[in-house]
Amino acid sequence: MNTKVWEITSEDVNAPLTEETIEKLDEIKLAFEYGEIIAIPTETVYGLGANAKDPEAIIKIFQAKNRPGDNPLIVHVHSYEQVESFTSYIDDKVKKLMDTFWPGPISFILPLKDGVIASNTVAEMDSVAVRMPSHPVARKILEYTNIPIAAPSANLSGKPSPTDAEHVIHDLNGRIFGVVVSEKSEIGLESTVLDCTQFPYKVARPGHISIEELQDVLKEEILEHKDTMERPISPGMKYKHYAPRQPMSVVEGGINSNTRLCVPEGIKKNKVGVIAPETVRQYIDKDMQFTSLCRDEGSYREAAKNLYAALRHMDASDVEIIYIYGFKQNSETEALMNRIYKATGSTIIKG
Ligand code: TXA
Ligand code: MG
């Protein structure tokens, strides 16, 4: 299959649409209606989209990604009417959170209404995760097609999510119908997933919107995500994720002039990779391969935006082991550190 490429920038859709852009949107709409799968930009990561009502199209997503069939997809919408069309109940508290954070990087798990969304979209579950993205191009495509679009991250299963169209093409070229090329994803980590099917609400996957921000709006307790929970409420959280091919360890407590990164026997120093803030470069042996994640130890947002690109860069390099900087744990680094721990398989060393 020759993967088609459309370039649409935020600028293209923020201004009155040109004929050229309308032509692209028409092609994309038609392809979704015909059951094709297309990668689209969002503010968190690029998603691999398909008509959420079309079981054949959804099968193509699982196949292209090599995704286990028991891992449900997030359905993307542009309006509340769409959400109401396929969920059976939206509590006032959920509405309040939607009004505050949508469009944006949070998905709500809600009870599913029967018979609208294809059952394989939600992996045969009786709930559905819904998100209204804020990326102007994603919004325009959702509006223009007026189809609820199921979209997991547009990477091969197990690999870091794509924050740049280049990552999508690297993983899925020839496996998908098309890709909409746009800017790099601004946030760089997947959405917060909040399970609203039972009280108190529970974070199934931490993301850019923190538990504190949610609690501030609701004035109520929200349960934290725990990896050790017996039954993962988000099936996706039980799989190894976001990982480069090499073994990777997180250096807890950060890296400073006292840190000695160990070079295991049989590995040359120049085959050791280090991912850390730029300010840490001075402490790293010149022979090791350093990848800068952000300006300094406090540039969390920049680190989140660059994390997956850094993991992919290391994956493609000739390094044989990787050390990654462990940021201070706080509400702002919750999602960032969650992804770093997932990518390392929780191999921790103390800096
Ligand atoms: O930011 C994002 O959320 C991106 C963009 C494209 O929107 N999407 C994304 O999708 O990260 P995906 O499929 O890579 O991750 C979805 C997560 C998985 O952990 C999945 O198990 C969980 O959400 N999930 C989806 N529907 C669910 C449901 N009904 N119940 C529990 N967990 C659900
Ligand atoms: Mg994913």
Side-chain angles (χ1 to χ4, degrees), residues 274-344:
V274 181
I275 303 175
E278 186 56 39
T279 40
V280 164
R281 190 190 287 269
Q282 56 183 315
Y283 307 125
I284 305 301
D285 193 301
K286 293 280 173 295
D287 290 333
M288 294 181 181
Q289 298 188 39
F290 185 85
T291 293
S292 182
L293 192 54
C294 54
R295 210 182 35 185
D296 59 40
E297 298 84 334
S299 321
Y300 306 136
R301 295 201 164 195
E302 195 193 352
K305 182 171 179 178
N306 295 333
L307 175 67
Y308 290 148
L311 295 181
R312 282 178 175 268
H313 172 77
M314 282 294 179
D315 186 272
S317 76
D318 64 353
V319 307
E320 288 167 18
I321 61 158
I322 303 167
Y323 291 109
I324 185 162
Y325 185 90
F327 289 85
K328 277 205 190 85
Q329 293 274 9
N330 60 42
S331 71
E332 279 182 276
T333 59
E334 193 185 331
L336 175 65
M337 286 310 293
N338 169 270
R339 301 312 189 272
I340 289 178
Y341 282 122
K342 287 254 160 208
T344 58

Side-chain angles (χ1 to χ4, degrees), residues 68-88:
D70 66 351
N71 194 3
L73 309 179
I74 296 173
V75 178
H76 297 70
V77 298
H78 68 87
S79 72
Y80 290 98
E81 290 72 46
Q82 280 184 308
V83 186
E84 280 163 2
S85 73
F86 59 81
T87 57
S88 60

Side-chain angles (χ1 to χ4, degrees), residues 150-168:
S153 49
N155 52 290
L156 284 175
S157 220
K159 288 290 163 197
S161 294
T163 51
D164 189 323
E166 258 181 48
H167 303 161
V168 178

